[in-house]
Amino acid sequence: MNYSHDDENFPLTRFESMLKTNDILFFDSSEFENIIHHYLENGKIALAKRAIKLGLEQHPTSINLRLFQVEILVIENKFSEADDILDMLHVLEPTNEEIFIQKANVLSKQDEHKKAIDTLLIAIDMSTTPSDDADLYALVGMEYLFLDQFENAIIYFKKCLETDTSDYSALHNVVYCYDFLDQNEEAITYLNKFLDSHPYCEVAWHQLGRQYFTIKDYAKANAAFDFAIISDDTFVGAYLEKGKVLEKLKHYEDAIENYKITLALDEPTSFALLRIGYCYEKLGQVDMALQFFKKTVEEDALLDKGWIAITKFYMKRLNYLKALHYINKAVNIDGENVLYWKLFATINKRLNFLEEAELGYKRTLELGNYELETWLERSDILIALGEYEAAIYNLIQGAEFYPENAEIEYRLGGLYFTVHQTEEGRFHLKNAVTLNAEYNFIISELFPKLNDRPMVKAIISESKKASN
């Protein structure tokens, strides 16, 4: 219930006036309930507690005020106290379904989800208004979700929809469960059946389109999103999804049109701006593409895909200085983004800025990107910089993730020979040629001075003879 603070006749205004003046005014129990409900909805827990205390002083036998007290205790994780009150209330009103609902809430908060379900089912059995039980079915469905029992959750979310066809959160949950179970066909069957009786439900059409998109039936997905838009021509999500489908169908101009509709209907989203940029790029309209990529990062500077799109735009056109300018901006905004550092390293390497490239690969590894290519690229740059010991240490770390890898072993062999640790060099080079003799070109490329060393030549030539 909403109250106006401008009208002194409303109980909420009277209550707050009472708190300021310390006068004691009388309210009936239903007025207290409405006041408490208002405070809880607005997150004003302290005021809700004050209203409950005063309400119980004036109406000590009110079951509903006690149930609000339980709700507060649950919020404060005081489950034992909440249980005590519920047990007392159950003695007074053993057929009050709200008591069982609150009991289930207490159990759920303590991860007793199976007991919570059993308690909710008692409440459903007690209900004298089955047509109003949608919320109860939804609560059971949520408890099954907590238990990862998606098949059972589906049953109860469907029951919820049978009782209240406008409960779109239940519809979303049905589809979520099907998605989790990889049952796209079952979801499609259910949604089509639902739409037979609710043909103008834009949410169901939208969900159906997403299912068709997942199984790559783009024509049917496109039709479903069209019906969602017919049902509600201001449905931003349907235009966005339709745009994605049109991109898959290579209808880039139509995709742009749909994305631009979303910009007119609502505040611009970085997702739509980015997709428009990609579409223009596909159409060869590079100036427009760049314009929308830049709008993307202006709209959301934290969206990494925007900065990556601009950076790669310049990289494709071999304008590495421009690419470096934008990836530097990105790194300054979010220095923990591994994708930024990988691009930073690649671009600096292309520009032959080896120290910066090495830093980029080092940060990439520190942030958890353990791809083989990252270890190898960093070691090659360290070799070029003459940092042989650092290169060895880097490769030994890489070998923990990629044991018995020929590319790592050739580099370790070459490095150990270079720093005059002959036995280690011999061990790793022999290991390398055994793993893959065809990669021996790594030695001549990275360590040309070793080409004429007798031991190196002997190991490689022996491997060539063996392979022949």
Side-chain angles (χ1 to χ4, degrees):
M1 183 178 291
N2 294 319
Y3 294 106
S4 168
H5 284 258
D6 299 326
D7 191 334
E8 289 295 324
N9 292 324
F10 278 90
L12 182 66
T13 307
R14 288 178 59 233
F15 180 78
E16 292 188 348
S17 175
M18 181 183 77
L19 294 180
K20 290 175 185 174
T21 61
N22 287 325
D23 292 336
I24 301 299
L25 302 177
F26 181 82
F27 299 85
D28 66 38
S29 61
S30 63
E31 287 176 326
F32 270 118
E33 289 169 28
N34 288 330
I35 291 167
I36 295 161
H37 181 73
H38 170 82
Y39 285 139
L40 287 175
E41 275 202 329
N42 288 278
K44 297 179 178 180
I45 304 301
L47 285 170
K49 288 172 72 174
R50 188 82 181 273
I52 291 167
K53 182 176 182 295
L54 290 170
L56 286 171
E57 286 173 2
Q58 294 186 13
H59 306 280
T61 60
S62 170
I63 299 290
N64 288 339
L65 291 178
R66 288 290 179 191
L67 288 170
F68 275 123
Q69 188 180 22
V70 169
E71 204 170 324
I72 294 289
L73 290 169
V74 171
I75 291 170
E76 296 176 336
N77 293 330
K78 296 177 179 177
F79 303 121
S80 179
E81 292 177 47
D83 259 334
D84 289 343
I85 293 172
L86 288 169
D87 288 343
M88 176 192 74
L89 296 179
H90 181 250
V91 172
L92 295 172
E93 286 195 13
T95 60
N96 187 329
E97 65 185 79
E98 189 61 37
I99 294 169
F100 288 90
I101 293 168
Q102 287 293 348
K103 179 70 174 174
N105 187 30
V106 172
L107 290 165
S108 180
K109 295 290 185 183
Q110 297 175 91
D111 294 327
E112 297 275 5
H113 300 297
K114 184 65 179 70
K115 288 181 180 178
I117 290 167
D118 293 339
T119 306
L120 287 168
L121 292 177
I122 293 170
I124 291 170
D125 286 340
M126 282 185 172
S127 173
T128 56
T129 56
S131 60
D132 296 329
D133 286 348
D135 288 345
L136 286 173
Y137 291 128
L139 288 172
V140 176
M142 290 305 299
E143 294 301 320
Y144 276 121
L145 281 186
F146 289 131
L147 293 169
D148 290 338
Q149 294 184 21
F150 297 97
E151 293 89 346
N152 286 329
I154 287 172
I155 292 169
Y156 281 90
F157 287 128
K158 284 182 178 179
K159 282 177 179 287
C160 177
L161 281 165
E162 288 165 12
T163 309
D164 179 5
T165 56
S166 65
D167 190 338
Y168 295 144
S169 63
L171 184 61
H172 282 293
N173 282 326
V174 169
V175 176
Y176 168 79
C177 292
Y178 279 129
D179 281 341
F180 194 91
L181 296 167
D182 291 324
Q183 295 179 355
N184 302 109
E185 294 294 345
E186 288 84 347
I188 288 167
T189 300
Y190 175 75
L191 288 165
N192 274 314
K193 185 178 178 183
F194 183 86
L195 284 161
D196 284 342
S197 50
H198 306 90
Y200 294 104
C201 178
E202 71 277 10
V203 175
W205 283 117
H206 178 254
Q207 291 292 336
L208 182 62
R210 290 180 66 252
Q211 293 300 315
Y212 281 128
F213 186 89
T214 300
I215 64 171
K216 300 182 179 178
D217 191 337
Y218 300 125
K220 286 184 179 177
N222 194 37
F225 293 129
D226 277 338
F227 281 117
I229 291 165
I230 290 167
S231 302
D232 178 2
D233 62 3
T234 64
F235 191 178
V236 171
Y239 289 107
L240 287 172
E241 296 290 349
K242 184 173 168 64
K244 287 165 60 179
V245 171
L246 291 165
E247 280 192 70
K248 292 291 185 182
L249 295 170
K250 303 190 188 312
H251 298 163
Y252 300 114
E253 290 177 347
D254 292 335
I256 289 169
E257 183 182 339
N258 277 270
Y259 290 134
K260 284 188 174 179
I261 290 171
T262 72
L263 304 183
L265 287 172
D266 203 353
E267 290 293 318
T269 63
S270 55
F271 174 83
L273 295 167
L274 181 64
R275 295 319 311 174
I276 291 170
Y278 282 134
C279 288
Y280 276 125
E281 192 171 26
K282 294 281 188 182
L283 291 168
Q285 298 182 36
V286 293
D287 290 341
M288 291 297 290
L290 186 58
Q291 178 183 323
F292 276 90
F293 290 151
K294 288 180 178 178
K295 283 183 178 180
T296 302
V297 295
E298 288 167 10
E299 180 65 31
D300 183 2
L302 296 177
L303 181 71
D304 57 5
K305 290 178 181 176
W307 293 107
I308 290 167
I310 298 175
T311 303
K312 288 188 174 179
F313 176 90
Y314 284 115
M315 289 176 73
K316 286 175 191 172
R317 288 150 186 84
L318 307 182
N319 191 341
Y320 294 113
L321 285 173
K322 274 280 191 184
L324 183 60
H325 169 74
Y326 282 100
I327 204 63
N328 275 329
K329 279 190 168 188
V331 166
N332 286 333
I333 291 169
D334 182 5
E336 302 298 306
N337 190 308
V338 68
L339 299 173
Y340 291 165
W341 283 107
K342 191 78 180 282
L343 281 171
F344 175 90
T346 302
I347 294 163
N348 277 294
K349 184 185 174 189
R350 298 274 171 84
L351 290 166
N352 208 33
F353 299 161
L354 298 185
E355 288 88 353
E356 290 83 356
E358 190 277 323
L359 169 66
Y361 286 119
K362 182 182 179 185
R363 286 292 291 131
T364 302
L365 291 166
E366 287 171 351
L367 291 168
N369 180 286
Y370 300 137
E371 294 173 3
L372 176 62
E373 177 194 5
T374 309
W375 297 104
L376 298 179
E377 292 282 6
R378 184 178 179 227
S379 70
D380 291 354
I381 290 171
L382 287 167
I383 291 165
L385 291 169
E387 301 281 351
Y388 303 127
E389 294 293 346
I392 289 170
Y393 181 66
N394 174 72
L395 287 166
I396 289 171
Q397 285 182 301
E400 292 178 13
F401 295 91
Y402 301 94
E404 300 298 302
N405 180 275
E407 293 181 87
I408 290 176
E409 292 298 304
Y410 274 109
R411 286 168 171 81
L412 281 172
L415 280 163
Y416 278 120
F417 276 117
T418 300
V419 298
H420 308 295
Q421 295 185 35
T422 305
E423 280 306 308
E424 287 86 348
R426 179 173 171 274
F427 170 80
H428 285 286
L429 187 55
K430 288 194 78 168
N431 199 22
V433 297
T434 302
L435 289 166
N436 193 328
E438 293 180 4
Y439 278 12
N440 63 66
F441 64 84
I442 291 172
I443 295 296
S444 56
E445 282 190 3
L446 294 178
F447 310 97
K449 292 181 181 178
L450 297 179
N451 280 334
D452 296 326
R453 188 170 294 193
M455 185 180 292
V456 173
K457 287 172 71 176
I459 292 170
I460 291 174
S461 61
E462 282 174 23
S463 70
K464 287 179 180 177
K465 288 177 187 175
S467 62
N468 290 332

